Amino acid sequence: MDFKYKIADVAKEFGVPAKKVIETVTGVTGEAYKTGGTFEEKELNVLLETLTRENAEASLDAYLASGKEEAKPAPKPEQKKPEQKKPEPKKADKPAAKAEQPKAAAKPEAKQEPKPEQKKDSRKPEKQAEKRNEKRVTLQELAADTGIKEPVKTEQVQVNRAQVSVDTRTVDVNVDKFNARYDDLADSRNMPSKRKNQPTGKKEKFNNRNNRRGQQFGRRRETEAERLQRIQLEKARNAQLKISIPDEITVGELATRLKQSAAKVVAKFMQMGEMHAISDVVDFDTAALIAEEFHAKVEHEVHVSIEERLFVQEEDNAADLVERPPVVVVMGHVDHGKTSILDAIRKTNVTKGEAGGITQAIGAYQVKSGDSVITFLDTPGHEAFTSMRARGANMTDIAVLVVAADDGIMPQTIESINHAKAANVKLIVAINKMDKPTANPERVKEQLTKYEIVPEDWGGDVACIPVSAVTGMGISDLLERIALEAEVMELKANPSRRGKGAVVEARLDKGQGPIATLLVQNGTLHKGDCLIAGTAVGRVRTMRNDKGQEITEAGPSTPVEITGLTEVPEAGELFEAVEDERLARELADKRTTEAKEKQFAAYTKVTLDNLFDQMAANDMKELPIIVKADVQGSAEAVKQSLEKISNEEVRVRVIHAGVGAISKSDVSLADASNAIIIGFNVRPDAVAKAEAEQTGVEMRMYRVIYDAINDVSDAMKGMLAPKVREVALGEAQVRQVYKISSVGTVAGCRVTDGKITRDAQLRLVRDGIVICEDAIASLKRFKDDAKEVAAGYECGITLVKFQDIKEGDVFECFKMEEYRD
């Protein structure tokens, strides 16, 4: 192993400038060196040889005599100096052997002045004399050690060990006697104090090359690991221990952070009068007291959650806030005219498209009234949609309570009032159906006072506006009052930040995947933004407004329909656009795991305390049901409605509720769980239908929630005796669509199964979702009318009401027949 020596350290050891050292070695080797560079062993040998030659003494006798005179403590009788002849150099084979002789050139015998770089011994003369008397050598021993062959007189001469110059390249030189020359060249502060008859650490480095190996100027070279360990130990001794403690910590973890044994920490607790085991958890204050007993500096460890890192928690500056449209929710009892009022406002006809004339999902619309824009949320009024109505109220600024002038306050009207109060929103009452002769608005106002709603006419602060969705009476007054209330409320938002808001509704589309209707409450949502809503995460792939037009951004109070999420989010979930997609997916996985753990924890374990209750529950009959619906909110509403009708004898348990068409996996789950499948506005695909027929799984399809509830209730009571059932006749697939001005929309179809009959009813299914149920207006084969068309043949079909037919739609032909038990 080759050792390297820093040039600066070498110059410091020899007491000469670093520049002098570099010039000396460069003059011999011809290589260039830097001041901060290093020497190898061969270069160090060159330097030693050169310095030895430059500092050689001309006369050994004069050198010895000068050293003896300097060290005299007091004048003594002169001693006759022995005559000495000039020594002849020892012959050597290699040229480098010329330097093996002592440098005793022909100089006059005169006392030599000390050189500037040589430091004089500052010790007292008495101690120096004692040191000199410790070691005496003869000239013959000197000649034998130095290789001088000429005879030397045998008189003893007192030799000062600190004044002899020796060539260190000779391996048989007794440096124990003749190495003091290098002490003068070395730093005197590194000289060991009184050591007798043994070389010091500084001297042994020149014994030979074997001794120098592994040593740097008299000591073992410190490794990098040892240096780091030494620095850490010094810091640990000089610096105070700093630890961070969370709100709760175990005793064992506290001991680890304090760098103490657990036994010492437990003993410290005992001194404070507390008994704790290693696994016990203590709070921050208690742990901080123990840490201070060990002289540690304590910091409170703050745990930063994923939500805190992901979501920007900052207040909007007042300068960034701009006026935003109000969000208005329309609430009230079923069939009191909520959607009809919105139709009159939007001048559209949405009610006819609803099954049974009732709204099955939340709709979001934006209308313009004069110079102001108003966003409306239409919520269902049936009691099954209570949770959906609650979510709608929490999203809005103003609630319009629709009350029929002839019916007055009804149960769902009372629920709507309570939701509006809980959401702390401004309430406006629209007394609808004023065109009916039985309308009595004064009775409605009187009923409202029972629920702490006092009309303005009676000295209160709630506006009660009579309207008629049929004639359009009072609609403009209602819009003006909404705009006035919004102006007073001074609704503002910051469009310059990332978009955030709530999920109004969500569904699963076969071609586009999960589709979510969002209401942007603050900021601006852009196409391509990464957003997270509950356990759903993804980037906005497409964005459409309430009119179906594609847009690239949506500001505050704007409802949009987006695609690109990984799954169907829960209706009512809050969404927020984020910057870090990786953290968003990590948070979604965490929420999914927590939801599963919560679901598993809901199952009750059998214990001695609840054994009797479990035994009683096992005797109770259970009806497992799988619910599939077209949108998430409807699935939740059906699930809650069915679970509410459980009685003491039979319990309804919805084992799965999802969105989309009924698939084979749903049938497999129903088969394994002995459950029935209830479809709400959805149909099974061909594979699921075949699987259900093979396994005997019952599937019931509904378009109105009342029918599903009534059928399950009757079945639970043992009273279900249907007299009418649906009989499937055949299916046809739309291959091409024609628009004929005199006829309307004609669907060119191919019958794929069974037969299509002229007098049968027809159901239009698109991607597993029921779009409408209608009757056949005309059935043709080429140009001729046909009563029926069998499988494998093509035909043209027109419907009575529905015209929005698209390629790929499926016509299911069926008829209802009566039967006896």
Side-chain angles (χ1 to χ4, degrees):
M1 182 178 178
D2 296 333
F3 289 92
K4 295 185 178 181
Y5 309 94
K6 292 184 179 180
I7 294 177
D9 293 342
V10 173
K12 184 177 179 182
E13 293 288 346
F14 287 107
V16 294
K19 185 177 181 182
K20 173 67 176 175
V21 172
I22 294 174
E23 291 176 352
T24 301
V25 180
T26 302
V28 177
T29 61
E31 297 181 5
Y33 301 92
K34 296 182 179 180
T35 307
T38 58
F39 279 163
E40 294 184 356
E41 197 167 341
K42 60 180 182 179
E43 294 155 339
L44 186 63
N45 291 339
V46 170
L47 176 64
L48 295 177
E49 179 182 348
T50 305
L51 292 178
T52 302
R53 188 183 302 110
E54 291 177 356
N55 293 280
E57 297 294 338
S59 173
L60 179 62
D61 294 339
Y63 192 87
L64 296 176
S66 64
K68 180 174 67 177
E69 292 175 359
E70 281 182 3
K72 284 183 179 181
K76 290 185 179 180
E78 285 186 46
Q79 296 181 1
K80 185 177 181 182
K81 294 182 181 179
E83 296 180 1
Q84 177 145 355
K85 296 181 180 180
K86 180 179 180 181
E88 293 293 330
K90 183 178 179 179
K91 294 181 179 180
D93 297 333
K94 295 181 180 180
K98 293 180 181 180
E100 293 180 359
Q101 61 181 352
K103 308 303 178 184
K107 283 190 179 181
E109 293 185 2
K111 183 176 179 179
Q112 192 160 353
E113 294 294 329
K115 294 180 181 290
E117 65 272 11
Q118 296 175 351
K119 297 184 179 180
K120 293 184 179 181
D121 197 347
S122 60
R123 293 176 293 184
K124 295 182 180 180
E126 293 83 4
K127 293 184 179 181
Q128 294 176 355
E130 292 176 3
K131 282 292 181 179
R132 286 194 301 272
N133 293 332
E134 288 174 2
K135 193 76 172 179
R136 292 177 179 272
V137 296
T138 62
L139 292 179
Q140 284 186 344
E141 292 175 349
L142 177 62
D145 289 336
T146 56
I148 299 175
K149 294 183 180 180
E150 291 193 13
V152 182
K153 293 185 180 181
T154 59
E155 288 88 359
Q156 280 194 338
V157 179
Q158 185 175 359
V159 181
N160 183 3
R161 297 173 62 243
Q163 304 296 330
V164 179
S165 175
V166 184
D167 189 341
T168 59
R169 293 179 307 159
T170 307
V171 296
D172 55 356
V173 173
N174 189 351
V175 183
D176 194 34
K177 299 178 182 179
F178 313 107
N179 58 3
R181 172 62 179 161
Y182 300 102
D183 287 350
D184 291 342
L185 297 175
D187 192 354
S188 61
R189 65 186 177 187
N190 294 325
M191 290 281 294
S193 57
K194 301 177 181 179
R195 244 187 223 187
K196 297 182 180 181
N197 299 329
Q198 67 180 155
T200 63
K202 289 293 182 180
K203 299 169 185 177
E204 289 178 356
K205 64 186 178 183
F206 299 114
N207 281 355
N208 51 47
R209 294 183 181 179
N210 293 333
N211 287 345
R212 285 199 306 271
R213 190 164 297 164
Q215 300 178 359
Q216 181 180 359
F217 300 108
R219 63 180 180 274
R220 184 175 65 85
R221 183 178 179 84
E222 185 180 36
T223 63
E224 186 67 18
E226 291 173 342
R227 187 179 70 83
L228 292 176
Q229 185 178 9
R230 175 173 54 80
I231 292 174
Q232 290 178 354
L233 291 175
E234 290 177 357
K235 287 183 177 179
R237 285 194 296 266
N238 298 332
Q240 184 184 13
L241 179 64
K242 295 181 182 179
I243 65 169
S244 58
I245 300 177
D247 294 333
E248 291 183 345
I249 189 172
T250 62
V251 176
E253 177 64 20
L254 178 62
T256 303
R257 298 190 181 192
L258 289 172
K259 296 181 173 56
Q260 301 289 338
S261 64
K264 289 184 178 180
V265 176
V266 172
K268 192 66 70 174
F269 272 112
M270 294 175 64
Q271 293 177 8
M272 297 176 61
E274 297 184 13
M275 297 294 294
H276 287 291
I278 298 178
S279 59
D280 288 353
V281 178
V282 296
D283 58 12
F284 170 78
D285 295 333
T286 305
L289 290 176
I290 295 298
E292 290 173 359
E293 290 292 325
F294 287 99
H295 308 290
K297 186 177 180 181
V298 179
E299 295 179 353
H300 195 181
E301 181 179 346
V302 180
H303 177 69
V304 181
S305 62
I306 301 179
E307 289 88 346
E308 292 173 341
R309 286 186 292 163
L310 191 61
F311 303 134
V312 178
Q313 305 293 339
E314 60 181 13
E315 295 293 333
D316 295 321
N317 295 326
D320 298 332
L321 298 178
V322 298
E323 187 177 351
R324 67 171 177 85
V327 180
V328 182
V329 63
V330 182
M331 308 173 76
H333 190 70
V334 61
D335 199 30
H336 273 204
K338 301 180 299 299
T339 308
S340 299
I341 291 177
L342 278 177
D343 289 345
I345 294 173
R346 298 174 61 216
K347 300 207 172 34
T348 59
N349 193 356
V350 178
T351 306
K352 291 184 180 179
E354 300 285 358
I358 65 171
T359 305
Q360 305 288 337
I362 294 180
Y365 316 104
Q366 207 165 41
V367 299
K368 191 170 184 180
S369 173
D371 296 333
S372 60
V373 178
I374 304 173
T375 301
F376 282 95
L377 293 184
D378 179 22
T379 64
H382 188 263
E383 62 177 353
F385 297 91
T386 300
S387 60
M388 296 172 64
R389 186 165 55 250
R391 289 195 296 267
N394 290 334
M395 296 176 190
T396 55
D397 310 305
I398 300 173
V400 174
L401 180 66
V402 178
V403 184
D406 55 346
D407 292 340
I409 302 296
M410 300 295 283
Q412 280 73 49
T413 311
I414 300 171
E415 288 184 11
S416 300
I417 293 172
N418 295 333
H419 286 310
K421 288 182 178 179
N424 194 25
V425 296
K426 182 65 179 178
L427 188 64
I428 298 176
V429 178
I431 304 176
N432 194 23
K433 300 185 180 180
M434 290 296 295
D435 56 296
K436 288 194 173 184
T438 56
N440 189 353
E442 295 301 320
R443 185 171 68 91
V444 173
K445 294 178 182 179
E446 182 182 355
Q447 291 175 338
L448 289 172
T449 56
K450 297 178 182 179
Y451 304 99
E452 300 178 354
I453 298 177
V454 182
E456 289 181 337
D457 300 345
W458 295 14
D461 58 350
V462 178
C464 294
I465 302 173
V467 297
S468 173
V470 176
T471 63
M473 164 198 167
I475 297 296
S476 59
D477 297 337
L478 178 62
L479 293 176
E480 288 178 6
R481 189 53 188 257
I482 292 173
L484 178 62
E485 294 290 349
E487 185 179 351
V488 173
M489 296 170 69
E490 295 183 350
L491 302 172
K492 293 184 178 181
N494 179 13
S496 302
R497 62 177 297 165
R498 293 182 180 274
K500 59 187 300 187
V503 179
V504 177
E505 194 50 85
R507 58 190 173 89
L508 183 63
D509 186 85
K510 186 177 180 181
Q512 303 180 69
I515 298 178
T517 302
L518 309 179
L519 176 64
V520 182
Q521 295 174 308
N522 197 9
T524 301
L525 183 66
H526 299 85
K527 183 179 178 181
D529 282 353
C530 175
L531 60 85
I532 179 172
T535 58
V537 67
R539 289 192 176 273
V540 179
R541 189 165 63 239
T542 61
M543 182 162 37
R544 295 182 176 89
N545 59 13
D546 60 315
K547 298 177 181 62
Q549 301 168 345
E550 280 213 25
I551 56 176
T552 57
E553 61 180 28
S557 302
T558 304
V560 291
E561 189 178 74
I562 68 158
T563 62
L565 297 178
T566 56
E567 60 182 75
V568 179
E570 295 287 337
E573 286 281 2
L574 297 178
F575 79 87
E576 187 162 350
V578 296
E579 183 177 4
D580 194 333
E581 186 175 359
R582 182 188 62 82
L583 271 181
R585 296 188 181 277
E586 184 178 347
L587 178 58
D589 294 341
K590 177 187 173 186
R591 288 175 175 175
T592 304
T593 304
E594 291 175 351
K596 289 181 180 179
E597 291 176 353
K598 186 177 180 180
Q599 181 181 1
F600 293 150
Y603 292 102
T604 307
K605 301 291 183 182
V606 178
T607 63
L608 292 177
D609 295 331
N610 64 9
L611 179 60
F612 181 78
D613 297 334
Q614 292 289 326
M615 291 173 62
N618 291 334
D619 292 337
M620 184 173 63
K621 295 179 181 179
E622 186 176 79
L623 176 61
I625 293 177
I626 294 175
V627 175
K628 294 300 289 289
D630 55 345
V631 294
Q632 186 70 34
S634 299
E636 292 179 7
V638 174
K639 176 183 176 182
Q640 293 175 4
S641 300
L642 294 176
E643 289 179 342
K644 282 182 182 178
I645 61 179
S646 299
N647 54 36
E648 295 179 355
E649 296 179 356
V650 182
R651 179 179 64 186
V652 175
R653 184 167 69 93
V654 178
I655 60 176
H656 175 64
V659 295
I662 300 172
S663 62
K664 181 182 177 181
S665 60
D666 298 324
V667 178
S668 301
L669 178 59
D671 182 30
S673 307
N674 195 23
I676 65 171
I677 299 176
I678 290 182
F680 190 71
N681 281 342
V682 295
R683 301 291 297 173
D685 55 29
V687 178
K689 187 183 294 184
E691 184 78 11
E693 291 177 357
Q694 183 179 357
T695 56
V697 172
E698 183 181 10
M699 296 187 295
R700 288 180 175 267
M701 310 304 159
Y702 299 95
R703 291 273 287 158
V704 178
I705 195 171
Y706 301 132
D707 298 337
I709 297 172
N710 293 336
D711 283 359
V712 174
S713 300
D714 293 342
M716 290 172 59
K717 296 174 183 177
M719 297 170 59
L720 182 61
K723 299 298 181 183
V724 180
R725 63 185 176 188
E726 178 185 307
V727 178
L729 298 179
E731 290 185 1
Q733 188 176 19
V734 179
R735 297 292 182 89
Q736 207 163 359
V737 179
Y738 305 94
K739 301 285 186 180
I740 302 176
S741 58
S742 59
V743 179
T745 304
V746 179
C749 306
R750 181 181 180 84
V751 182
T752 58
D753 186 25
K755 62 181 179 180
I756 304 296
T757 59
R758 171 71 179 78
D759 57 348
Q761 291 179 281
L762 192 138
R763 181 185 296 115
L764 191 152
V765 181
R766 184 178 297 159
D767 294 334
I769 306 298
V770 177
I771 303 300
C772 73
E773 287 183 3
D774 206 342
I776 297 178
S778 65
L779 177 65
K780 290 181 179 289
R781 278 277 297 159
F782 299 107
K783 294 182 179 181
D784 301 328
D785 291 332
K787 289 185 178 180
E788 64 180 37
V789 179
Y793 292 95
E794 296 180 347
C795 61
I797 298 175
T798 59
L799 302 182
V800 175
K801 300 178 182 178
F802 194 77
Q803 300 294 319
D804 188 18
I805 304 173
K806 296 182 179 179
E807 293 183 11
D809 289 350
V810 176
F811 289 151
E812 291 185 357
C813 185
F814 66 95
K815 68 178 181 177
M816 307 301 294
E817 68 175 11
E818 294 184 358
Y819 70 98
R820 296 180 181 271
D821 291 337

